[in-house]
Structures are given as C-alpha cells and as structure tokens.
Amino acid sequence: MAPAVRVGIRADLPRLVGRPGLRATLLELDGEPQYPGPVLGGTLLDTTRAIGRNAEISGQFVGRRVIDRVLSKTDFELFASFRPDGQNNTDPAWQRGVGGKSLLERTPHDQVHVWINGNMVTLMSPLDPIFWLHHCNIDRLWAEWNARGHTNTSSTLWRDFRLTPFDVFVRDLQSITQLGYTYSSLARTRLAETSELPPLLDRARARFELVEPRVASLGQEVSFPVDTPESPLPLVAAARFVEDGGPKVLAFVRGVEPPEDQQVTVNVFLNCPYLTAETPVSDPHYVGNFTFFGVHEHEAEGGHDMKLSFAFDLTDTVDRLRVLEPDLESRLNVQLMPVPLEGRDVPPQEIGIEGVEIVYI
C-alpha cells in the first residue's frame, strides 16, 4: 500500500499549510471543477500547465458522484490503494513502490495531476503551488472518510513503515488533530482507528485470472474475458443485505505499461457488447477509470518496475447488470477503452497490459 502517496503529505502539513481549516477549492465535496483563481497569476502561476483560465476538469474525475463514491467505500484498500506487489517487509525502498491504485488515488488524485500537466505530471509536481492545495484536499477527503466512521488498515506493512526523509512511522500520522490541524468542512473529527479485519486479499474466497498480454490503442477496445466458473451474481445479490465486510467482486488490471504521452484516460467497462470510444461514463456497464502519473520519472531513477496495477470494485456494476441482464453468463469481460483527455491533441499511443484478475471476497 504505497505509503508515500497517501501519508507523506501529513508529515509536513502543519508547517507548510500553517493555518487550521484551510479549504482547497480544486476538489470540493460539491464537485467544483475549476482551479483556484489566486494561482492564475503572479508568483503562484506555473507556466508549464496545460490548462488555461477557464478550464474545467470533467466531473468524471472530481464530480459529486465520484467524491460520494470515494467516501462511501468501507474498506481502506478500496478507498485508497493496495500494497505494492511482492511487498513483504518495511524496507525504505518500498516507499517508491507502486501498489494497486484504488478509487481515491487513481481518480481524483492522479487525474488532477495529469489534467493540469506540466510540472504536475512529474515527480517535480511540488514546484507548482497548486500541488499543495491539491494534496491538502486529498488529505481532507481522507480525514472526511475517517470522520464518517471508516477505519484505516491494521497491516503492519503500512502502520510500521518509516517514511523518509521525515523519519516518522505511518502509525503516528493517522490523527490530524494530533498533528495540530483540522478542516472546517468535517462534520465531526475523531481519531482514526484501525480495522481488525485482515487485508482484503487475505480474505479472498476465489480468484480467477486471464494472463494474456495485450496492447491497447487510443479509441480501441481491448478486452479481458475472465471465466468465472462460480457465478458472482448470487454473491453480489447477497451483499445488499450484508453490512461492512460483506461479499465483494474485485478486478485488478495488472502489468500496465504507460504510454509515452500521459494525457490519456482509460475508461473501464464490464460486459458491454456495444462499447466504443463514445460510450458515456453514465452507461450501466461503466466501472471506473485510470490514468498515468509520474511513471516515466520513476523509471528514469532506475527504481522499481513501473508497470502499474489498478483495483476496481465491480460489486455495484455486477449487481446493476444482474437486474438489466438476468442471463448474464459466468464470464466477466473487463474492457479497457483508452481515450485522450478532453480537449487534448494526443498522437497515437500504445498501452501494454499483462492481464486481469477477478477476486471474490
């Protein structure tokens, strides 16, 4: 569970932000699509950005519906991310490891970075003043998630990870009030607790995969039909009547090789027989999206293998399709549709994908 992405900002927020109750306006809970006026000129202007004064990011990435989905996740890993593949210790080298990105990280976090572009799409993103508002707001969403009664993971690979260069453990950074700040938008502030449940993948009751490398191109569907001899449908139907920890159907898109031009969003659909590049995200087969942030800089440093992994909760989608298509077969076809960011002129790109895994929890 890549600690640097979600926790590092908390180690220095009191000094950098300096005043309680700061509200970033880039990703408000009401889905504000524009970035703050003060960063449009003067010393706060970063001329490397790919957006202008009247630019608005798509609600697909930061709209009210997306933020509501983020905050409604009950499992920490589906809210944030899974640990990097293969991580079995707390060696500092894992701080740059990339885990399976879940909803908060792969959508509002990554998509804003890529949409703004310029410095924000690189590991030098803190050079853009808007970085601090953006990360402060991601931190605020996490605080809101905790305030709604959701608990952080109890995994020692996360809690006992020592962040550099701050020389502090993740477990000591979970309470914003203990760190000396808060957000005025929180309904209530409470100490974030830890879940006693083991990590999600340790609770898997069945796993099915299709490891068959394929290449996705802009505007063209690439599909991974995963045979699931045990139908997920009764499982998902039962989830309607089960509280936190109930049955789930997950999909992991693994071994994703980023394109040269990162101004690409990959929309993910499930069992859509008519999928095209124009199929809207309002379609009942739509699952979610992902993009590519800072990947080439990681590769240049000669660090971890920068093939990416993205996690999706299919539960609601499968449940929805069960109502629309009662004869849905026991095959979950995960479909990827890469498209350029809206308004961007992106040359032909290729994205390699190693495979897809379906997991029943």
Side-chain angles (χ1 to χ4, degrees):
M1 290 166 286
V5 175
R6 295 192 312 279
V7 184
I9 187 67
R10 287 195 168 175
D12 224 20
L13 262 176
R15 179 178 66 81
L16 292 168
V17 175
R19 58 186 189 276
L22 175 70
R23 291 184 83 229
T25 57
L26 183 60
L27 293 176
E28 294 297 350
L29 285 175
D30 60 0
E32 173 60 52
Q34 293 181 313
Y35 58 104
V39 302
L40 294 173
T43 58
L44 298 182
L45 176 63
D46 186 319
T47 58
T48 69
R49 299 172 190 154
I51 53 175
R53 177 171 296 273
N54 298 317
E56 292 190 4
I57 189 170
S58 170
Q60 173 187 355
F61 308 134
V62 301
R64 177 77 194 203
R65 176 178 291 185
V66 175
I67 301 304
D68 283 346
R69 285 182 61 210
V70 169
L71 295 176
S72 69
K73 294 298 178 185
T74 55
D75 289 277
F76 181 78
E77 292 153 302
L78 292 177
F79 163 74
S81 66
F82 289 75
R83 68 174 180 264
D85 292 341
Q87 183 189 2
N88 55 10
N89 59 58
T90 57
D91 187 281
W94 287 108
Q95 186 162 322
R96 285 291 179 90
V98 177
K101 297 187 177 189
S102 293
L103 188 53
L104 177 68
E105 187 173 355
R106 63 176 165 78
T107 300
H109 175 265
D110 284 6
Q111 294 285 2
V112 167
H113 273 278
V114 174
W115 176 68
I116 294 174
N117 214 259
N119 283 325
M120 276 287 281
V121 83
T122 74
L123 295 184
M124 298 304 292
S125 53
L127 291 177
D128 189 333
I130 206 170
F131 167 92
W132 302 102
L133 290 177
H134 178 42
H135 270 243
C136 183
N137 199 44
I138 293 295
D139 182 76
R140 180 180 67 89
L141 291 174
W142 182 15
E144 176 69 25
W145 187 77
N146 283 147
R148 296 187 181 195
H150 303 311
T151 56
N152 298 329
T153 179
S154 60
S155 171
T156 56
L157 294 178
W158 187 77
R159 289 176 47 80
D160 296 342
F161 198 94
R162 186 190 295 272
L163 293 168
T164 58
F166 307 105
D167 194 30
V168 64
F169 288 102
V170 169
R171 63 173 179 260
D172 298 324
L173 300 173
Q174 296 193 69
S175 169
I176 62 174
T177 53
Q178 288 183 0
L179 290 173
Y181 69 99
T182 188
Y183 297 98
S184 61
S185 60
L186 299 183
R188 55 195 171 100
T189 304
R190 56 185 282 183
L191 179 66
E193 301 171 351
T194 56
S195 170
E196 297 303 319
L197 291 172
L200 268 176
L201 291 182
D202 292 348
R203 291 181 263 155
R205 57 185 294 268
R207 302 174 78 144
F208 315 97
E209 65 179 5
L210 176 60
V211 179
E212 189 173 300
R214 297 176 184 178
V215 176
S217 301
L218 282 184
Q220 298 181 19
E221 170 194 349
V222 62
S223 298
F224 289 86
V226 181
D227 290 322
T228 52
E230 179 184 348
S231 173
L233 302 184
L235 180 69
V236 179
R240 295 176 176 177
F241 309 103
V242 181
E243 297 298 327
D244 186 22
K248 292 180 175 62
V249 183
L250 312 181
F252 291 86
V253 180
R254 300 196 182 278
V256 181
E257 298 179 354
E260 287 300 316
D261 192 325
Q262 293 163 263
Q263 299 179 94
V264 172
T265 248
V266 180
N267 290 324
V268 180
F269 292 81
L270 183 69
N271 289 48
C272 183
Y274 46 78
L275 180 61
T276 70
E278 286 71 42
T279 304
V281 298
S282 58
D283 188 276
H285 297 266
Y286 176 72
V287 173
N289 61 73
F290 64 85
T291 189
F292 309 92
F293 162 61
V295 288
H296 298 302
E297 283 71 22
H298 275 293
E299 292 171 339
E301 291 179 354
H304 288 267
D305 181 355
M306 286 312 298
K307 291 181 179 179
L308 303 174
S309 179
F310 300 94
F312 296 88
D313 186 350
L314 300 182
T315 310
D316 289 343
T317 306
V318 173
D319 205 18
R320 187 165 57 244
L321 295 182
R322 174 179 177 269
V323 174
L324 298 173
E325 304 170 25
D327 59 345
L328 189 69
E329 296 180 358
S330 296
R331 167 177 284 197
L332 298 182
N333 186 19
V334 178
Q335 301 156 289
L336 310 181
M337 177 60 73
V339 294
L341 282 179
E342 185 177 354
R344 304 291 167 87
D345 184 15
V346 180
Q349 301 290 314
E350 292 190 343
I351 302 166
I353 304 108
E354 289 183 351
V356 166
E357 182 181 23
I358 301 294
V359 180
Y360 293 172
I361 305 296

